[in-house]
Amino acid sequence: MKQIFSGVQPSGNFTLGNYIGAMKRFVDLQDEGNCIYSIVNLHSLTVPKEASELREYTLQLAAMYLSIGIDPKKSILFIQSQVPEHTELGWLMQCTGYIGELERMTQYKDKSEGKEVVTGGLLTYPALMAADILLYNATHVPVGEDQKQHLEFTRDMAARFNKKYGETFVIPEPMIQEFGGRIMSLDDPTKKMSKSSPNAGSYIALLDEPGVIVKKIKRAVTDSEGTVRYDKENKPAVSNLLTIYSACSGESIDAIVARYEGKGYGDFKKDLAEVVVDALTPIQEAYKNWINSPELTTILKDGAERAHAIASATMDKVRKNMGLVTF
Ligand code: AQP
């Protein structure tokens, strides 16, 4: 049986990139194994936030998980900071990893570039992520392509720890989709679609109104060729739009390309907007109910208890193997 773990940061504006690259898949995986999904609020602190903002985004993400179809009867849904073993193992992972390894992470380089102030947490983020995954003996971790390097780091940490202290951790496998593993910005197909982008036109937020989605897709960059075809290298913008179309409609790229033969980008974009709106409307409807539901906190409390039971058993083993005295 697969043991599946993944997390999303509550940094607001969850995007179509988060959804297509990772969250959409979380739903189907509920029938393939034991799923544990986290709202990784401690990771969000690597870029400083207002307390009120973090609180709001945390509950929004919980509502979003439930709105896309995460079933709390099948899966464990919890807030990372409510299970203190994450920070404890996070520290032990910092002491297992090397500074050089952390400094090589492209996400650290990208997010620290040009910043006046960079938190220590931004550098050690992958150690906390390794802890998140290893605490639950995860065999599989569904993530977008941008997390591939962090997953490699997690695997290295698990192997290094096992070698030094004896068999303790399961070595997890990344689950990265070939199509949709990296959804690109609408205004620049060389950058990934990111919820913290200062330009709201570069991403589609899952809660964007239909009119906003239509506008954003209309303004999305394409190229001067005028032909709808998939060619990631020479036509990255159009290929990205085709990937979004395919992920939202369930149709193959070939079938979509065939439909737009001889037609221009205008028709394609108009239909794409419709397809995206159709995919997001049921999520947005469900969200309106979940965000105001008193059940939300009950689900998160129950999730934290169930997560804690697994995490504390792992930590007992870790402390014993590492020589951290317990009485
Ligand atoms: N553009 C993307 N394409 C495919 N997958 C993506 N993911 C993120 N962006 C894309 C995947 O979404 C999951 C949750 O991401 P996260 O919230 O943990 O943070 P992130 O990877 O740093 O994503 P963002 O949207 O860019 O957030 P900010 O702007 O806050 O840093 C992950 O599995 C991720 O791979």
Side-chain angles (χ1 to χ4, degrees):
M1 188 78 161
K2 285 181 188 149
Q3 186 76 3
I4 295 157
F5 176 90
S6 200
V8 178
Q9 295 184 59
S11 32
N13 287 335
F14 316 106
T15 71
L16 207 52
N18 298 131
Y19 181 61
I20 295 173
M23 295 177 82
K24 187 167 180 279
R25 205 144 167 238
F26 294 176
V27 181
D28 301 333
L29 287 172
Q30 295 183 114
D31 297 321
E32 285 184 33
N34 300 315
C35 293
I36 303 172
Y37 296 124
S38 185
I39 296 158
V40 288
N41 56 347
L42 298 171
H43 285 282
S44 283
L45 296 172
T46 54
V47 177
K49 302 256 170 335
E50 292 301 323
S52 58
E53 203 180 42
L54 183 58
R55 199 173 298 123
E56 194 184 327
Y57 289 163
T58 300
L59 295 177
Q60 282 180 1
L61 179 53
M64 188 53 78
Y65 264 119
L66 296 162
S67 305
I68 62 165
I70 298 305
D71 178 352
K73 289 194 195 77
K74 288 185 186 168
S75 301
I76 296 178
L77 177 64
F78 76 104
I79 300 173
Q80 182 190 28
S81 64
Q82 293 191 340
V83 179
E85 282 78 1
H86 285 258
T87 43
E88 185 178 359
L89 187 58
W91 172 253
L92 303 180
M93 286 296 119
Q94 283 187 49
C95 297
T96 306
Y98 308 138
I99 289 275
E101 289 172 312
L102 294 167
E103 281 174 341
R104 271 200 296 279
M105 297 290 152
T106 50
Q107 192 176 86
Y108 169 68
K109 289 190 211 161
D110 290 348
K111 289 196 172 179
S112 60
E113 197 188 346
K115 294 269 156 47
E116 225 168 87
V117 179
V118 175
T119 64
L122 196 63
L123 178 67
T124 58
Y125 174 114
L128 182 59
M129 178 165 157
D132 299 338
I133 295 165
L134 300 178
L135 274 178
Y136 299 99
N137 310 308
T139 55
H140 292 82
V141 185
V143 282
E145 205 183 86
D146 61 321
Q147 294 296 336
K148 194 175 173 184
Q149 203 184 17
H150 293 162
L151 240 302
E152 274 308 317
F153 176 83
T154 301
R155 289 167 58 85
D156 290 347
M157 291 308 98
R160 189 177 298 163
F161 193 102
N162 287 351
K163 193 161 171 233
K164 181 154 188 210
Y165 299 110
E167 243 3 82
T168 310
F169 294 124
V170 173
I171 315 262
E173 291 290 334
M175 294 177 102
I176 298 171
Q177 305 180 84
E178 197 188 328
F179 281 99
R182 191 171 179 83
I183 298 296
M184 310 311 282
S185 279
L186 298 182
D187 63 341
D188 180 353
T190 64
K191 289 194 191 136
K192 77 159 190 159
M193 186 180 280
S194 176
K195 58 172 121 73
S196 57
S197 163
N199 175 16
S202 71
Y203 58 80
I204 293 173
L206 296 185
L207 294 178
D208 274 346
E209 301 269 339
V212 174
I213 296 174
V214 171
K215 247 189 228 157
K216 286 184 178 178
I217 291 179
K218 212 169 170 184
R219 287 193 192 140
V221 297
T222 47
D223 53 47
S224 54
E225 193 196 60
T227 316
V228 179
R229 62 181 181 88
Y230 191 87
D231 178 348
K232 224 171 155 182
E233 209 168 297
N234 300 306
K235 292 171 69 67
V238 173
S239 302
N240 186 45
L241 296 180
L242 275 165
T243 304
I244 294 174
Y245 197 127
S246 169
C248 289
S249 67
E251 277 182 282
S252 72
I253 301 260
D254 286 348
I256 302 164
V257 168
R259 180 155 352 107
Y260 293 96
E261 210 184 317
K263 293 185 185 167
Y265 293 149
D267 288 336
F268 171 63
K269 280 182 161 183
K270 192 169 148 283
D271 294 351
L272 171 62
E274 214 170 283
V275 160
V276 173
V277 169
D278 285 351
L280 297 189
T281 299
I283 296 174
Q284 296 183 353
E285 289 299 319
Y287 181 85
K288 280 183 209 151
N289 292 327
W290 276 117
I291 195 65
N292 295 313
S293 166
E295 232 192 299
L296 200 59
T297 46
T298 317
I299 289 169
L300 292 171
K301 217 170 145 214
D302 173 65
E305 277 168 20
R306 288 157 69 201
H308 185 248
I310 305 170
S312 67
T314 306
M315 276 314 296
D316 284 346
K317 196 160 75 169
V318 171
R319 291 189 205 102
K320 184 167 158 277
N321 292 359
M322 257 189 135
L324 295 168
V325 177
T326 51
F327 298 111

